[in-house]
Amino acid sequence: QPVFVISVDDPQKVGDPIRGYTMYTVHTRTTSPMFQKSAFSVLRRYSDFLWLYETLSANNPGVVVPPVPDKNPFGRFDDQFVKQRRFALEKCIQKIANHPLLGKDADLKIFLESDTFALDIKHRKAELAHERGGIMASIGQAVAGPRFYETDEWFDRQKVYLDSLESQLRGLAKAIDAVAKQRSELAAATGEFSQSVGDLSASDIGKGLSHSLSGLADVERMAQEIQSTQSEQDLTTIMGTVDEYARLINSVRMAFSSRIRIYHAWKQSESDLIRVKQSHEKNRAQGRIATDRLSYSLSQIAEAEKRAAESKHEFEHVSKLVKSELARFEQERVSDFKDSLHAFLEGMIERQKQLINAWEGYQQML
């Protein structure tokens, strides 16, 4: 499995306030032989990441494609929002590149290394439209076919589990957001207190008391910075992971839906096979098939049988793929939450140590 190390850095605002957007620099280092170089960088905007996600999802039925962060028309240039989006985009592209199937996808290659990206995706969109107008059209038409009845209880159990997990994640996200807001409000109040104490220390209250109050103001300013930093860390560690997996659940559901589309395509091909066979038998019974056309009619049946067999095989393959993808989802979920909790606790402990040292230093000064 080739290794990818990808970072999304240096967000820069481009354009006017109305139609402006943020451009990111995507740095890639890889051992994959697909690429001309082992290290390269390109400029990409949010809509480019979105194109990659939508294209990979459409072209890889059964695969759980790591999703990009949601659109947000309001406050999209706020510093905190840009930081969170940059972090989410980086995690998204890293997971896509290091996925055993998606890491080999030609569209990922275009995204990561093309210097003529706008032109390349224009051509790519035309190719995909042509494909979907042909082979893929049968899948799209099949969606409107007979209702799908699940025959594998595993999928029904997983749907119930995903609904429950999504509800739990929403509750956790709400709680984390409340804690982060409370820390932010406490930081603001601490800052006001620090300012008031600092102003008092500057007044004519005596050198000794002035020095003591000035030291208190310094410690409170440090406490304000620590609380503000912790509020941001709440959102970029645990909240970032919660948000990512809430979005990933939708990607899992899309993988489930792609399986149903493949099923309908399979049933459509079986219906086509029955129709071709019936037409052949009817024409043969009525003597409408000339001797020189018999081989052609039989070849039509053989082709329909081949399509039906391939469609059935595709459905079985996608069903197995979805199961393996959900197992990957579970494994990565446990690992990612452990990592985010570890980062959260490490940061929390380090900042509390800094604050304790500041208070101890102030106590010794007194």
Side-chain angles (χ1 to χ4, degrees):
Q1 176 72 14
V3 176
F4 286 85
V5 178
I6 303 174
S7 64
V8 178
D9 299 315
D10 194 28
Q12 298 288 332
K13 183 180 176 182
V14 179
D16 58 66
I18 304 298
R19 292 174 293 180
Y21 56 90
T22 302
M23 188 71 80
Y24 304 88
T25 303
V26 182
H27 301 284
T28 304
R29 288 186 291 115
T30 181
T31 59
S32 173
M34 284 175 53
F35 297 87
Q36 298 176 359
K37 300 177 182 178
S38 61
F40 40 89
S41 301
V42 291
L43 293 173
R44 296 290 181 262
R45 56 187 292 188
Y46 171 80
S47 59
D48 299 334
F49 285 87
L50 183 60
W51 171 85
L52 178 66
Y53 168 69
E54 291 176 345
T55 304
L56 292 176
S57 297
N59 295 342
N60 293 274
V63 175
V64 178
V65 181
V68 297
D70 294 330
K71 290 182 178 180
N72 186 358
F74 305 107
R76 56 200 174 103
F77 298 119
D78 292 348
D79 289 344
Q80 184 60 31
F81 174 77
V82 171
K83 284 180 184 177
Q84 288 177 246
R85 171 170 277 189
R86 184 210 65 77
F87 179 74
L89 290 173
E90 184 173 272
K91 288 197 72 175
C92 167
I93 196 64
Q94 284 176 345
K95 285 197 169 187
I96 288 175
N98 287 291
H99 189 283
L101 297 177
L102 301 178
K104 303 171 185 175
D105 197 284
D107 292 311
L108 174 65
K109 183 177 185 294
I110 292 173
F111 176 86
L112 289 178
E113 75 170 358
S114 174
D115 291 325
T116 55
F117 185 69
L119 182 62
D120 288 341
I121 64 170
K122 183 178 179 182
H123 292 157
R124 187 72 181 115
K125 285 177 180 177
E127 291 174 4
L128 292 173
H130 178 72
E131 290 176 9
R132 289 167 187 165
I135 299 173
M136 297 296 289
S138 61
I139 297 177
Q141 292 166 1
V143 174
R147 183 176 177 181
F148 175 75
Y149 292 96
E150 185 58 72
T151 57
D152 189 334
E153 291 183 359
W154 183 90
F155 287 95
D156 285 333
R157 290 196 303 270
Q158 296 309 313
K159 288 174 183 176
V160 173
Y161 160 70
L162 290 171
D163 289 343
S164 174
L165 178 60
E166 184 178 43
S167 177
Q168 291 170 353
L169 290 176
R170 284 177 178 171
L172 180 56
K174 186 177 179 180
I176 295 170
D177 188 53
V179 169
K181 285 180 179 177
Q182 188 178 48
R183 288 194 207 281
S184 183
E185 291 169 359
L186 179 59
T190 303
E192 291 177 6
F193 176 64
S194 172
Q195 183 64 46
S196 298
V197 172
D199 292 343
L200 181 59
S201 71
S203 62
D204 188 14
I205 56 173
K207 186 175 180 181
L209 182 56
S210 176
H211 184 63
S212 297
L213 289 176
S214 178
L216 175 61
D218 289 340
V219 176
E220 290 294 346
R221 269 193 293 273
M222 174 179 281
Q224 177 194 11
E225 292 174 2
I226 286 173
Q227 288 154 359
S228 295
T229 302
Q230 188 60 52
S231 176
E232 292 181 6
Q233 287 299 304
D234 291 344
L235 297 176
T236 56
T237 52
I238 301 178
M239 185 63 141
T241 304
V242 169
D243 178 65
E244 177 189 359
Y245 275 86
R247 288 182 283 108
L248 261 170
I249 287 173
N250 285 328
S251 289
V252 174
R253 290 187 178 121
M254 287 179 65
F256 281 24
S257 296
S258 69
R259 171 177 170 267
I260 295 174
R261 290 198 302 272
I262 297 297
Y263 172 85
H264 285 308
W266 167 33
K267 292 304 174 182
Q268 181 64 49
S269 65
E270 287 189 334
S271 296
D272 291 343
L273 172 60
I274 292 172
R275 179 179 53 78
V276 170
K277 282 185 174 180
Q278 287 177 341
S279 176
H280 170 79
E281 290 301 324
K282 180 180 179 180
N283 289 333
R284 187 176 64 82
Q286 295 177 355
R288 293 181 179 178
I289 303 177
T291 305
D292 59 341
R293 298 286 295 174
L294 180 61
S295 60
Y296 173 76
S297 182
L298 292 174
S299 70
Q300 291 291 96
I301 295 175
E303 184 63 30
E305 288 175 338
K306 180 182 177 182
R307 286 196 297 269
E310 288 175 347
S311 297
K312 180 183 179 181
H313 175 75
E314 177 70 4
F315 174 72
E316 292 170 346
H317 167 72
V318 169
S319 296
K320 291 178 182 177
L321 181 58
V322 170
K323 291 183 178 182
S324 67
E325 282 291 284
L326 198 60
R328 167 186 289 277
F329 169 86
E330 284 299 304
Q331 184 179 8
E332 290 184 351
R333 180 175 64 87
V334 173
S335 176
D336 286 345
F337 270 93
K338 281 184 177 179
D339 289 345
S340 66
L341 282 171
H342 182 71
F344 170 79
L345 288 174
E346 272 197 338
M348 173 75 84
I349 291 169
E350 180 59 32
R351 281 181 281 276
Q352 291 302 314
K353 284 180 178 179
Q354 293 173 7
L355 189 55
I356 289 170
N357 289 337
W359 281 117
E360 288 177 343
Y362 177 62
Q363 184 182 41
Q364 291 172 6
M365 184 194 79
L366 292 177

